[in-house]
Coordinates of all heavy atoms in Angstrom, one line a residue:
M21 N 135.3 158.1 65.9 CA 136.7 157.8 65.5 C 137.2 156.7 66.4 O 137.8 155.7 65.9 CB 137.5 159.0 65.6 CG 139.0 158.8 65.6 SD 139.6 159.2 64.0 CE 141.3 158.9 64.3
F22 N 137.0 156.8 67.7 CA 137.5 155.8 68.6 C 136.9 154.4 68.4 O 137.5 153.4 68.5 CB 137.4 156.2 70.1 CG 138.3 157.3 70.4 CD1 137.9 158.6 70.7 CD2 139.7 157.1 70.4 CE1 138.7 159.6 71.0 CE2 140.6 158.2 70.7 CZ 140.1 159.4 71.0
A23 N 135.6 154.4 68.2 CA 134.8 153.2 67.9 C 135.4 152.5 66.7 O 135.6 151.3 66.7 CB 133.4 153.5 67.8
T24 N 135.7 153.3 65.7 CA 136.2 152.7 64.5 C 137.6 152.1 64.7 O 137.9 151.0 64.2 CB 136.2 153.7 63.3 OG1 134.9 154.3 63.2 CG2 136.7 153.1 62.0
L25 N 138.4 152.8 65.4 CA 139.7 152.4 65.7 C 139.7 151.1 66.6 O 140.4 150.2 66.4 CB 140.5 153.5 66.4 CG 142.0 153.2 66.7 CD1 142.7 152.8 65.5 CD2 142.7 154.3 67.4
R26 N 138.8 151.1 67.6 CA 138.6 149.9 68.4 C 138.1 148.7 67.6 O 138.6 147.6 67.8 CB 137.6 150.3 69.5 CG 137.7 149.3 70.7 CD 136.8 149.7 71.8 NE 137.1 151.1 72.2 CZ 136.2 151.9 72.8 NH1 135.0 151.5 73.0 NH2 136.6 153.1 73.1
Q27 N 137.2 149.0 66.7 CA 136.7 147.9 65.9 C 137.8 147.3 65.0 O 137.9 146.1 64.8 CB 135.5 148.4 65.0 CG 134.3 148.6 65.8 CD 133.2 149.3 65.0 OE1 133.4 149.9 64.0 NE2 131.9 149.2 65.5
F28 N 138.6 148.2 64.4 CA 139.7 147.8 63.6 C 140.7 147.0 64.4 O 141.2 145.9 63.9 CB 140.4 149.0 63.0 CG 141.7 148.6 62.2 CD1 141.5 148.1 60.9 CD2 142.9 148.8 62.7 CE1 142.7 147.7 60.2 CE2 144.1 148.4 62.0 CZ 143.9 147.9 60.7
A29 N 141.0 147.4 65.6 CA 142.0 146.7 66.4 C 141.4 145.3 66.8 O 142.1 144.3 66.7 CB 142.3 147.4 67.7
F30 N 140.1 145.2 67.1 CA 139.5 143.9 67.4 C 139.5 143.0 66.2 O 139.9 141.8 66.3 CB 138.0 144.1 67.8 CG 137.3 142.8 68.0 CD1 137.6 142.1 69.2 CD2 136.4 142.4 67.1 CE1 136.9 140.9 69.4 CE2 135.7 141.2 67.3 CZ 135.9 140.4 68.5
L31 N 139.2 143.5 65.0 CA 139.2 142.7 63.8 C 140.6 142.2 63.5 O 140.8 141.1 63.1 CB 138.7 143.6 62.6 CG 138.6 142.9 61.3 CD1 137.7 141.7 61.3 CD2 138.1 143.8 60.2
F32 N 141.6 143.1 63.7 CA 143.0 142.7 63.4 C 143.4 141.5 64.3 O 144.0 140.6 63.9 CB 143.9 143.9 63.7 CG 145.4 143.6 63.5 CD1 145.9 143.5 62.2 CD2 146.2 143.4 64.6 CE1 147.3 143.1 62.1 CE2 147.5 143.1 64.4 CZ 148.1 142.9 63.2
V33 N 143.0 141.6 65.6 CA 143.4 140.5 66.5 C 142.7 139.2 66.1 O 143.3 138.1 66.1 CB 143.0 140.9 68.0 CG1 143.1 139.7 68.9 CG2 143.9 142.0 68.5
V34 N 141.4 139.3 65.7 CA 140.7 138.1 65.3 C 141.3 137.5 64.1 O 141.5 136.3 64.0 CB 139.2 138.4 65.1 CG1 138.5 137.3 64.4 CG2 138.5 138.8 66.4
V35 N 141.6 138.3 63.1 CA 142.2 137.8 61.8 C 143.6 137.2 62.1 O 143.9 136.1 61.6 CB 142.2 138.9 60.8 CG1 143.1 138.5 59.6 CG2 140.8 139.2 60.3
S36 N 144.4 137.9 62.9 CA 145.7 137.3 63.3 C 145.6 136.0 63.9 O 146.4 135.1 63.7 CB 146.4 138.3 64.1 OG 146.7 139.5 63.5
T37 N 144.7 135.9 64.9 CA 144.5 134.6 65.6 C 144.1 133.5 64.7 O 144.6 132.4 64.7 CB 143.5 134.8 66.7 OG1 143.9 135.8 67.6 CG2 143.3 133.5 67.5
L38 N 143.1 133.8 63.8 CA 142.7 132.7 62.9 C 143.8 132.4 61.9 O 143.9 131.2 61.5 CB 141.4 133.2 62.1 CG 140.2 133.4 63.0 CD1 139.0 134.0 62.2 CD2 139.8 132.0 63.6
T39 N 144.5 133.3 61.4 CA 145.6 133.0 60.5 C 146.7 132.2 61.1 O 147.2 131.2 60.5 CB 146.2 134.3 60.0 OG1 145.2 135.1 59.4 CG2 147.3 134.1 59.0
A40 N 147.0 132.4 62.4 CA 148.0 131.6 63.1 C 147.6 130.2 63.3 O 148.4 129.3 63.2 CB 148.3 132.3 64.5
C41 N 146.3 130.0 63.4 CA 145.8 128.6 63.6 C 145.5 127.9 62.3 O 145.3 126.7 62.3 CB 144.5 128.6 64.5 SG 144.8 129.2 66.2
A42 N 145.5 128.6 61.2 CA 145.1 128.0 60.0 C 146.1 127.1 59.3 O 145.8 126.2 58.6 CB 144.6 129.1 59.0
G43 N 147.4 127.4 59.6 CA 148.5 126.6 58.9 C 148.8 125.3 59.6 O 148.2 125.0 60.6
P44 N 149.6 124.5 58.9 CA 150.0 123.2 59.5 C 150.7 123.4 60.8 O 151.5 124.4 61.0 CB 150.9 122.6 58.5 CG 151.1 123.6 57.4 CD 150.2 124.8 57.7
P45 N 150.5 122.5 61.8 CA 151.1 122.6 63.1 C 152.6 122.1 63.1 O 152.9 121.1 63.8 CB 150.2 121.8 64.0 CG 149.7 120.7 63.1 CD 149.5 121.4 61.7
V46 N 153.4 122.7 62.4 CA 154.8 122.2 62.2 C 155.5 122.1 63.6 O 156.1 121.1 63.9 CB 155.6 123.1 61.3 CG1 157.0 122.7 61.2 CG2 154.9 123.1 59.9
Q47 N 155.4 123.2 64.4 CA 156.1 123.2 65.7 C 155.6 122.1 66.6 O 156.3 121.4 67.3 CB 156.1 124.6 66.3 CG 157.0 124.7 67.6 CD 158.5 124.4 67.2 OE1 159.0 125.1 66.3 NE2 159.1 123.6 68.0
D48 N 154.2 122.0 66.6 CA 153.6 121.0 67.5 C 154.0 119.6 67.1 O 154.3 118.8 68.0 CB 152.1 121.2 67.5 CG 151.6 122.5 68.1 OD1 152.0 122.8 69.3 OD2 150.8 123.2 67.5
M49 N 154.1 119.3 65.9 CA 154.5 118.0 65.4 C 155.9 117.7 65.8 O 156.3 116.7 66.3 CB 154.3 117.9 63.9 CG 152.9 118.0 63.4 SD 151.8 116.7 64.0 CE 152.4 115.3 63.0
S50 N 156.8 118.7 65.6 CA 158.2 118.6 66.0 C 158.4 118.4 67.5 O 159.1 117.5 67.9 CB 159.0 119.8 65.5 OG 160.3 119.7 65.9
D51 N 157.6 119.1 68.3 CA 157.7 119.0 69.7 C 157.3 117.6 70.1 O 157.9 117.0 71.0 CB 156.8 120.0 70.4 CG 157.3 121.4 70.3 OD1 158.5 121.6 69.9 OD2 156.5 122.4 70.6
A52 N 156.2 117.1 69.5 CA 155.7 115.7 69.9 C 156.8 114.7 69.5 O 157.1 113.8 70.3 CB 154.4 115.4 69.2
R53 N 157.4 114.8 68.3 CA 158.4 113.8 67.9 C 159.6 113.8 68.9 O 160.1 112.8 69.2 CB 158.8 114.1 66.5 CG 157.8 113.7 65.5 CD 158.3 113.9 64.0 NE 157.2 113.7 63.1 CZ 156.6 114.7 62.4 NH1 157.0 116.0 62.6 NH2 155.6 114.5 61.6
Q54 N 160.0 115.0 69.2 CA 161.2 115.2 70.1 C 160.9 114.6 71.5 O 161.7 114.0 72.1 CB 161.6 116.6 70.2 CG 162.2 117.1 68.9 CD 162.6 118.6 69.0 OE1 162.5 119.2 70.1 NE2 163.0 119.2 67.9
A55 N 159.7 114.8 72.0 CA 159.3 114.3 73.3 C 159.2 112.8 73.3 O 159.7 112.2 74.3 CB 157.9 114.9 73.7
I56 N 158.7 112.2 72.2 CA 158.7 110.8 72.1 C 160.1 110.2 72.0 O 160.4 109.2 72.7 CB 157.8 110.3 70.9 CG1 156.4 110.6 71.2 CG2 158.1 108.8 70.6 CD1 155.4 110.4 70.1
Q57 N 161.0 110.8 71.3 CA 162.4 110.4 71.2 C 163.0 110.5 72.5 O 163.8 109.5 72.9 CB 163.1 111.2 70.2 CG 164.5 110.8 70.0 CD 165.3 111.6 68.9 OE1 164.7 112.4 68.3 NE2 166.5 111.2 68.7
A58 N 162.8 111.5 73.3 CA 163.4 111.7 74.6 C 162.9 110.6 75.5 O 163.7 110.0 76.3 CB 163.1 113.1 75.2
A59 N 161.6 110.3 75.4 CA 161.1 109.2 76.3 C 161.7 107.8 75.9 O 162.0 107.0 76.8 CB 159.5 109.2 76.1
E60 N 161.8 107.6 74.6 CA 162.5 106.3 74.2 C 163.9 106.2 74.7 O 164.3 105.2 75.2 CB 162.4 106.3 72.7 CG 161.0 106.1 72.1 CD 161.0 106.2 70.6 OE1 161.9 106.8 70.0 OE2 159.9 105.8 70.0
E61 N 164.6 107.3 74.6 CA 166.0 107.3 75.1 C 166.1 107.2 76.6 O 167.1 106.7 77.1 CB 166.7 108.6 74.6 CG 166.9 108.7 73.1 CD 167.4 110.0 72.7 OE1 167.6 110.9 73.5 OE2 167.6 110.2 71.4
A62 N 165.0 107.5 77.3 CA 165.0 107.4 78.8 C 164.5 106.0 79.2 O 164.1 105.8 80.4 CB 164.2 108.5 79.4
A63 N 164.3 105.1 78.3 CA 163.8 103.7 78.6 C 162.4 103.7 79.0 O 162.0 102.8 79.7 CB 164.7 103.0 79.6
A64 N 161.6 104.7 78.5 CA 160.2 104.7 78.8 C 159.5 103.5 78.2 O 158.4 103.1 78.8 CB 159.5 106.0 78.4
G65 N 160.0 102.9 77.2 CA 159.4 101.7 76.6 C 159.4 100.6 77.6 O 158.5 99.7 77.6
E66 N 160.3 100.5 78.6 CA 160.4 99.5 79.6 C 159.7 100.0 80.9 O 159.1 99.2 81.6 CB 161.8 99.1 79.9 CG 162.5 98.5 78.7 CD 164.0 98.4 78.9 OE1 164.5 98.4 80.1 OE2 164.7 98.2 77.9
L67 N 159.9 101.3 81.2 CA 159.4 101.8 82.5 C 158.0 102.4 82.5 O 157.4 102.5 83.5 CB 160.4 102.8 83.0 CG 161.9 102.3 83.2 CD1 162.8 103.5 83.5 CD2 161.9 101.3 84.3
A68 N 157.6 102.8 81.3 CA 156.3 103.4 81.2 C 155.7 103.1 79.8 O 155.4 104.0 79.0 CB 156.4 105.0 81.4
P69 N 155.6 101.8 79.5 CA 155.2 101.4 78.1 C 153.8 101.9 77.7 O 153.6 102.3 76.5 CB 155.3 99.9 78.1 CG 155.1 99.5 79.6 CD 155.8 100.7 80.3
G70 N 152.9 102.0 78.6 CA 151.5 102.4 78.3 C 151.5 103.9 77.9 O 150.9 104.2 76.8
W71 N 152.2 104.8 78.6 CA 152.2 106.2 78.3 C 152.9 106.4 76.9 O 152.5 107.2 76.1 CB 152.9 107.0 79.3 CG 152.1 107.2 80.6 CD1 152.3 106.6 81.8 CD2 151.0 108.1 80.7 NE1 151.3 107.1 82.6 CE2 150.5 108.0 82.0 CE3 150.3 108.9 79.8 CZ2 149.4 108.7 82.4 CZ3 149.2 109.6 80.2 CH2 148.7 109.5 81.5
L72 N 154.0 105.7 76.7 CA 154.8 105.8 75.5 C 153.9 105.3 74.3 O 153.9 106.0 73.2 CB 156.1 105.1 75.5 CG 157.0 105.3 74.3 CD1 157.3 106.7 74.1 CD2 158.3 104.5 74.5
Q73 N 153.2 104.2 74.4 CA 152.4 103.7 73.4 C 151.3 104.7 73.1 O 150.9 105.0 71.9 CB 151.8 102.3 73.7 CG 151.0 101.7 72.6 CD 151.7 101.5 71.3 OE1 152.9 101.3 71.3 NE2 151.0 101.5 70.2
Q74 N 150.7 105.3 74.1 CA 149.6 106.3 73.9 C 150.1 107.5 73.2 O 149.5 108.1 72.3 CB 149.0 106.7 75.2 CG 148.1 105.6 75.8 CD 147.6 106.0 77.2 OE1 147.7 107.2 77.6 NE2 147.0 105.1 77.9
A75 N 151.4 107.9 73.5 CA 152.0 109.0 72.8 C 152.2 108.7 71.3 O 151.9 109.6 70.4 CB 153.3 109.4 73.4
R76 N 152.6 107.5 71.0 CA 152.8 107.1 69.6 C 151.5 107.1 68.9 O 151.4 107.5 67.7 CB 153.5 105.8 69.5 CG 155.0 105.8 70.0 CD 155.5 104.4 69.9 NE 156.9 104.4 70.3 CZ 157.5 103.4 71.0 NH1 156.8 102.4 71.4 NH2 158.8 103.5 71.4
I77 N 150.5 106.6 69.5 CA 149.1 106.5 68.9 C 148.6 107.9 68.6 O 148.1 108.2 67.5 CB 148.2 105.7 69.8 CG1 148.5 104.3 69.8 CG2 146.7 106.0 69.3 CD1 147.8 103.4 70.8
S78 N 148.8 108.8 69.5 CA 148.4 110.2 69.3 C 149.2 110.9 68.2 O 148.6 111.6 67.4 CB 148.6 111.1 70.6 OG 147.7 110.6 71.6
L79 N 150.5 110.6 68.1 CA 151.3 111.2 67.0 C 150.8 110.6 65.7 O 150.7 111.3 64.7 CB 152.8 110.9 67.3 CG 153.7 111.5 66.2 CD1 153.6 113.0 66.1 CD2 155.1 111.1 66.5
D80 N 150.6 109.3 65.6 CA 150.1 108.7 64.4 C 148.8 109.3 63.9 O 148.6 109.6 62.8 CB 149.9 107.2 64.6 CG 151.2 106.4 64.7 OD1 152.2 106.9 64.3 OD2 151.1 105.2 65.1
A81 N 147.9 109.6 64.9 CA 146.6 110.3 64.6 C 146.9 111.7 64.1 O 146.2 112.1 63.1 CB 145.7 110.3 65.8
A82 N 147.8 112.4 64.7 CA 148.2 113.7 64.2 C 148.7 113.7 62.8 O 148.3 114.5 62.0 CB 149.2 114.3 65.2
E83 N 149.6 112.7 62.5 CA 150.1 112.6 61.2 C 149.0 112.3 60.1 O 149.0 112.9 59.0 CB 151.2 111.6 61.1 CG 152.5 112.1 61.9 CD 153.5 111.0 62.1 OE1 153.3 109.8 61.9 OE2 154.7 111.4 62.4
A84 N 148.1 111.5 60.5 CA 147.0 111.2 59.6 C 146.1 112.4 59.3 O 145.7 112.7 58.2 CB 146.1 110.0 60.2
K85 N 145.9 113.2 60.4 CA 145.1 114.4 60.2 C 145.8 115.4 59.4 O 145.3 116.2 58.6 CB 144.6 114.9 61.5 CG 143.6 114.1 62.2 CD 143.2 114.5 63.6 CE 142.1 113.5 64.1 NZ 142.0 113.6 65.6
L86 N 147.1 115.5 59.6 CA 148.0 116.4 58.9 C 147.9 116.1 57.4 O 147.8 117.0 56.6 CB 149.4 116.4 59.4 CG 150.4 117.4 58.9 CD1 150.0 118.8 59.2 CD2 151.8 117.1 59.4
A87 N 148.0 114.9 57.1 CA 147.9 114.5 55.6 C 146.6 114.9 55.0 O 146.5 115.2 53.8 CB 148.1 112.9 55.5
K88 N 145.5 114.9 55.8 CA 144.2 115.3 55.3 C 144.0 116.8 55.4 O 142.9 117.3 55.2 CB 143.1 114.6 56.1 CG 143.1 113.1 55.9 CD 142.0 112.4 56.7 CE 142.1 110.9 56.6 NZ 141.1 110.3 57.4
K89 N 145.0 117.5 55.9 CA 145.0 119.0 56.1 C 143.9 119.4 57.1 O 143.4 120.5 57.1 CB 144.7 119.7 54.8 CG 145.9 119.5 53.8 CD 145.8 120.3 52.6 CE 147.0 120.0 51.7 NZ 147.0 120.8 50.5
A90 N 143.7 118.5 58.1 CA 142.8 118.8 59.2 C 143.7 119.3 60.3 O 144.1 118.6 61.3 CB 142.1 117.5 59.7
Y91 N 144.2 120.6 60.2 CA 145.3 121.1 61.0 C 144.9 121.3 62.5 O 145.7 121.0 63.3 CB 145.7 122.4 60.4 CG 146.3 122.3 59.0 CD1 146.1 123.3 58.1 CD2 147.1 121.2 58.7 CE1 146.7 123.2 56.8 CE2 147.7 121.1 57.4 CZ 147.5 122.1 56.5 OH 148.0 121.9 55.2
N92 N 143.7 121.7 62.7 CA 143.3 121.8 64.1 C 143.3 120.5 64.9 O 143.8 120.4 66.0 CB 141.9 122.5 64.3 CG 142.0 124.0 63.9 OD1 143.0 124.6 64.1 ND2 140.9 124.5 63.5
G93 N 142.8 119.5 64.3 CA 142.8 118.1 64.9 C 144.3 117.6 65.0 O 144.6 117.0 66.0
A94 N 145.1 117.9 64.0 CA 146.5 117.4 64.0 C 147.2 118.1 65.1 O 148.0 117.5 65.9 CB 147.2 117.7 62.7
R95 N 146.9 119.4 65.3 CA 147.6 120.2 66.4 C 147.2 119.6 67.7 O 148.0 119.4 68.6 CB 147.2 121.7 66.3 CG 147.8 122.6 67.3 CD 147.4 124.1 67.0 NE 148.1 124.5 65.8 CZ 147.5 124.7 64.6 NH1 146.3 124.5 64.5 NH2 148.2 125.2 63.6
R96 N 145.9 119.4 67.9 CA 145.4 118.8 69.2 C 146.0 117.5 69.5 O 146.5 117.2 70.6 CB 143.9 118.7 69.1 CG 143.2 118.4 70.4 CD 141.6 118.5 70.2 NE 141.1 117.9 69.0 CZ 140.6 118.7 68.0 NH1 140.6 120.0 68.1 NH2 140.1 118.1 66.9
D97 N 146.1 116.6 68.5 CA 146.7 115.3 68.7 C 148.2 115.4 69.0 O 148.7 114.6 69.8 CB 146.4 114.4 67.5 CG 144.9 113.9 67.4 OD1 144.2 114.1 68.5 OD2 144.5 113.4 66.4
A98 N 148.9 116.3 68.3 CA 150.3 116.4 68.5 C 150.6 116.9 69.9 O 151.5 116.4 70.6 CB 150.9 117.4 67.5
R99 N 149.8 117.8 70.4 CA 150.0 118.3 71.8 C 149.7 117.2 72.8 O 150.3 117.1 73.8 CB 149.1 119.5 72.0 CG 149.6 120.7 71.3 CD 148.6 121.9 71.4 NE 149.2 123.1 70.7 CZ 148.5 124.2 70.5 NH1 147.3 124.3 71.0 NH2 149.0 125.2 69.8
E100 N 148.7 116.4 72.5 CA 148.4 115.2 73.3 C 149.5 114.2 73.3 O 149.9 113.7 74.3 CB 147.1 114.6 72.9 CG 146.6 113.5 73.8 CD 146.3 113.9 75.3 OE1 146.1 115.1 75.5 OE2 146.3 113.0 76.1
A101 N 150.1 114.0 72.2 CA 151.3 113.1 72.1 C 152.4 113.6 72.9 O 153.1 112.8 73.6 CB 151.7 112.9 70.6
R102 N 152.7 114.9 72.8 CA 153.7 115.5 73.6 C 153.4 115.3 75.1 O 154.3 115.0 75.9 CB 153.9 116.9 73.3 CG 155.0 117.6 74.1 CD 155.3 119.0 73.7 NE 156.4 119.6 74.5 CZ 156.3 120.7 75.2 NH1 155.2 121.3 75.2 NH2 157.3 121.1 75.9
R103 N 152.2 115.6 75.5 CA 151.8 115.5 76.9 C 152.0 114.0 77.4 O 152.6 113.8 78.5 CB 150.4 115.9 77.1 CG 149.9 115.9 78.6 CD 148.4 116.1 78.8 NE 147.7 115.0 78.3 CZ 147.5 113.9 79.0 NH1 148.2 113.7 80.2 NH2 146.8 112.9 78.6
R104 N 151.6 113.1 76.6 CA 151.7 111.7 77.0 C 153.2 111.2 77.1 O 153.6 110.5 77.9 CB 150.9 110.8 76.1 CG 149.4 111.0 76.3 CD 148.6 110.2 75.3 NE 147.2 110.4 75.6 CZ 146.2 109.8 75.0 NH1 146.5 109.1 73.9 NH2 145.0 110.0 75.3
A105 N 154.0 111.7 76.1 CA 155.4 111.4 76.1 C 156.1 112.0 77.4 O 157.0 111.4 78.0 CB 156.1 111.9 74.8
S106 N 155.7 113.2 77.7 CA 156.2 113.9 78.9 C 155.9 113.1 80.2 O 156.7 113.0 81.1 CB 155.7 115.3 79.0 OG 156.2 116.1 77.9
E107 N 154.7 112.6 80.2 CA 154.2 111.7 81.3 C 155.1 110.4 81.4 O 155.4 110.0 82.4 CB 152.7 111.4 81.2 CG 152.2 110.7 82.4 CD 152.3 111.5 83.7 OE1 152.5 112.7 83.7 OE2 152.2 110.8 84.8
A108 N 155.3 109.9 80.2 CA 156.2 108.7 80.2 C 157.6 109.0 80.7 O 158.1 108.2 81.5 CB 156.3 108.2 78.7
L109 N 158.1 110.1 80.4 CA 159.4 110.6 81.0 C 159.3 110.7 82.5 O 160.2 110.3 83.2 CB 159.8 111.9 80.4 CG 160.6 111.8 79.1 CD1 160.8 113.3 78.6 CD2 161.9 111.2 79.3
R110 N 158.2 111.3 83.0 CA 158.0 111.5 84.4 C 158.0 110.2 85.1 O 158.6 110.0 86.1 CB 156.8 112.3 84.7 CG 156.6 112.7 86.1 CD 155.2 113.3 86.4 NE 154.2 112.3 86.4 CZ 154.0 111.3 87.3 NH1 154.8 111.2 88.3 NH2 153.0 110.4 87.1
V111 N 157.2 109.3 84.6 CA 157.0 108.0 85.2 C 158.4 107.2 85.2 O 158.7 106.5 86.1 CB 155.9 107.2 84.5 CG1 155.9 105.7 84.9 CG2 154.6 107.8 84.7
S112 N 159.2 107.5 84.2 CA 160.5 106.8 84.0 C 161.5 107.4 85.0 O 162.7 107.0 85.0 CB 161.0 106.9 82.6 OG 160.1 106.3 81.7
G113 N 161.2 108.5 85.7 CA 162.1 109.1 86.6 C 162.9 110.2 85.9 O 163.9 110.7 86.5
Q114 N 162.6 110.6 84.7 CA 163.3 111.7 84.0 C 162.4 113.0 84.0 O 161.2 112.9 84.2 CB 163.6 111.3 82.6 CG 164.3 110.0 82.4 CD 165.7 110.1 82.9 OE1 166.4 111.1 82.7 NE2 166.2 109.1 83.6
S115 N 163.1 114.1 83.8 CA 162.3 115.3 83.6 C 161.9 115.5 82.2 O 162.7 115.2 81.3 CB 163.1 116.5 84.1 OG 164.2 116.7 83.3
G116 N 160.7 116.0 82.0 CA 160.1 116.2 80.6 C 160.6 117.4 80.0 O 161.2 118.3 80.6
P117 N 160.3 117.6 78.7 CA 160.6 118.9 78.0 C 159.8 120.0 78.6 O 158.7 119.9 78.9 CB 160.2 118.6 76.5 CG 159.3 117.4 76.6 CD 159.6 116.7 77.8
E118 N 160.4 121.1 78.7 CA 159.8 122.3 79.2 C 159.0 123.0 78.2 O 159.2 123.1 77.1 CB 160.9 123.3 79.8 CG 161.8 122.6 80.7 CD 161.3 122.5 82.2 OE1 160.7 123.5 82.6 OE2 161.4 121.5 82.8

């Protein structure tokens, strides 16, 4: 009985995790866009142009993958865009999104 219950719990966790990752990365895309906007507003285009440009490139790649329904790749690129935009903020002397 316990083995069956344990197996069921494990299967539930696995299915839940896969389901959560299967959909479009809406929140990750939004976070990346907001981080880039914050960097732009903090003059990162002048103070950290390389980081800001890399963030935009990563976001463009995420949007292209999203259009192809390559959600895992889009999620990865969106997170990278956010990371790079946060670095642009840091270099610009501003605090990044938490």
Side-chain angles (χ1 to χ4, degrees):
M21 165 103 176
F22 290 112
T24 305
L25 184 57
R26 196 174 308 150
Q27 290 171 340
F28 175 76
F30 176 75
L31 182 61
F32 178 77
V33 169
V34 170
V35 170
S36 297
T37 302
L38 291 175
T39 303
C41 293
V46 175
Q47 187 63 52
D48 292 309
M49 296 295 288
S50 176
D51 291 345
R53 289 183 187 107
Q54 289 176 11
I56 289 172
Q57 182 177 357
E60 290 169 343
E61 290 171 1
E66 297 169 17
L67 301 171
W71 284 108
L72 186 56
Q73 183 61 26
Q74 289 176 10
R76 288 177 181 144
I77 290 169
S78 293
L79 183 59
D80 289 345
E83 289 172 344
K85 288 176 182 164
L86 186 63
K88 295 178 183 177
K89 297 186 180 184
Y91 297 143
N92 287 334
R95 182 174 289 104
R96 189 173 41 253
D97 288 344
R99 289 177 180 169
E100 184 63 17
R102 180 176 182 236
R103 187 190 69 76
R104 290 175 176 181
S106 295
E107 186 63 18
L109 274 173
R110 188 192 67 75
V111 170
S112 299
Q114 304 291 321
S115 62
E118 304 278 321

